[in-house]
Amino acid sequence: ALQSLHYFIIAQELDFRTVLQVIRNKLVQWQNVEDLIRLDDLVLEALVILLGDGHIISQEKDADMVLPSHIMNAVNVLIELGLFLTSEEEEEDAKLSSKSQQRILSSIYKSLSCYSTFYLGIDADAIRSSVAAFKGRGEGEEKEEIKESAEVIRYKSLKTLVMNGLTRNNLFPIIDDGDENEENN
């Protein structure tokens, strides 16, 4: 059913916001990662794919455009779920099999890759100015806390998610070519 909704959104037959409201009312509080983890593996994977469909709403961006809250929530959930699945906490709980985790993480990465930097909540200028302020502090200066903008925090979350995924080899399983060569000889 979720895959059908996904294709209806892609075909622009259904509105992304409306579909999210129906899912919240009939299936699960999709903004809550703890509730999502309790879902069946295949349902969770389909929901993750569907959460990536928010980019279809508007391909063009106006200078005055405000990020819609339902898209911001969808991106937040994808990032939080990805961070949870790549954390050591999830390894200890291990509700999901490693193969299911790998599929869901792959779907999270694919869904996030559909969104532009605007929809991801990343502003390059804000990140540059924050990095410049951080680098501009001298070694002898007192280290006072620099307030990070929402864009910088989002950037760091995405960076952590990607690095955790690569570190755990969730996306790129190691293939041992040595066994193949021995069989062929």
Side-chain angles (χ1 to χ4, degrees):
L2 288 173
Q3 285 292 74
S4 298
L5 292 173
H6 162 70
Y7 290 116
F8 280 127
I9 292 171
I10 289 175
Q12 296 183 350
E13 297 292 327
L14 289 176
D15 178 54
F16 182 65
R17 173 181 277 174
T18 305
V19 169
L20 291 179
Q21 289 173 345
V22 169
I23 290 171
R24 185 182 65 230
N25 293 335
K26 299 293 182 183
L27 179 65
V28 67
Q29 291 292 325
W30 60 268
Q31 294 106 327
N32 188 342
V33 173
E34 289 84 23
D35 289 346
L36 293 179
I37 294 299
R38 291 186 197 116
L39 292 173
D40 181 68
D41 302 0
L42 295 175
V43 175
L44 179 57
E45 184 179 4
L47 183 58
V48 163
I49 292 168
L50 190 129
L51 288 175
D53 293 338
H55 71 282
I56 294 176
I57 290 177
S58 174
Q59 297 296 337
E60 63 268 345
K61 171 182 95 164
D62 297 332
D64 302 342
M65 190 170 169
V66 175
L67 185 62
S69 63
H70 60 285
I71 293 177
M72 188 169 50
N73 289 337
V75 170
N76 284 340
V77 166
L78 288 170
I79 292 170
E80 287 178 34
L81 183 60
L83 289 172
F84 177 78
L85 291 176
T86 59
S87 71
E88 282 131 31
E89 183 178 309
E90 169 56 25
E91 284 180 19
E92 292 169 6
D93 295 344
K95 178 203 175 281
L96 299 171
S97 70
S98 62
K99 198 169 225 169
S100 295
Q101 242 184 348
Q102 185 177 8
R103 276 194 341 266
I104 292 167
L105 278 171
S106 179
S107 296
I108 289 171
Y109 292 127
K110 184 177 179 187
S111 291
L112 286 171
S113 72
C114 294
Y115 289 103
S116 69
T117 55
F118 173 74
Y119 287 123
L120 288 173
I122 297 174
D123 179 29
D125 293 333
I127 293 170
R128 276 190 213 104
S129 64
S130 179
V131 168
F134 183 76
K135 285 184 176 179
R137 296 188 300 187
E139 298 255 343
E141 292 181 31
E142 186 176 318
K143 304 272 184 185
E144 66 179 63
E145 196 70 28
I146 294 178
K147 183 167 175 24
E148 293 181 336
S149 65
E151 292 88 358
V152 173
I153 293 169
R154 176 57 59 88
Y155 172 76
K156 285 182 175 182
S157 295
L158 287 168
K159 180 181 169 187
T160 301
L161 176 60
V162 169
M163 295 309 293
N164 287 351
L166 291 174
T167 303
R168 290 179 42 154
N169 289 327
N170 282 328
L171 293 179
F172 307 106
I174 298 172
I175 299 172
D176 187 9
D177 290 335
D179 294 338
E180 265 183 44
N181 293 336
E182 290 175 15
E183 290 176 20
N184 293 334
N185 291 332

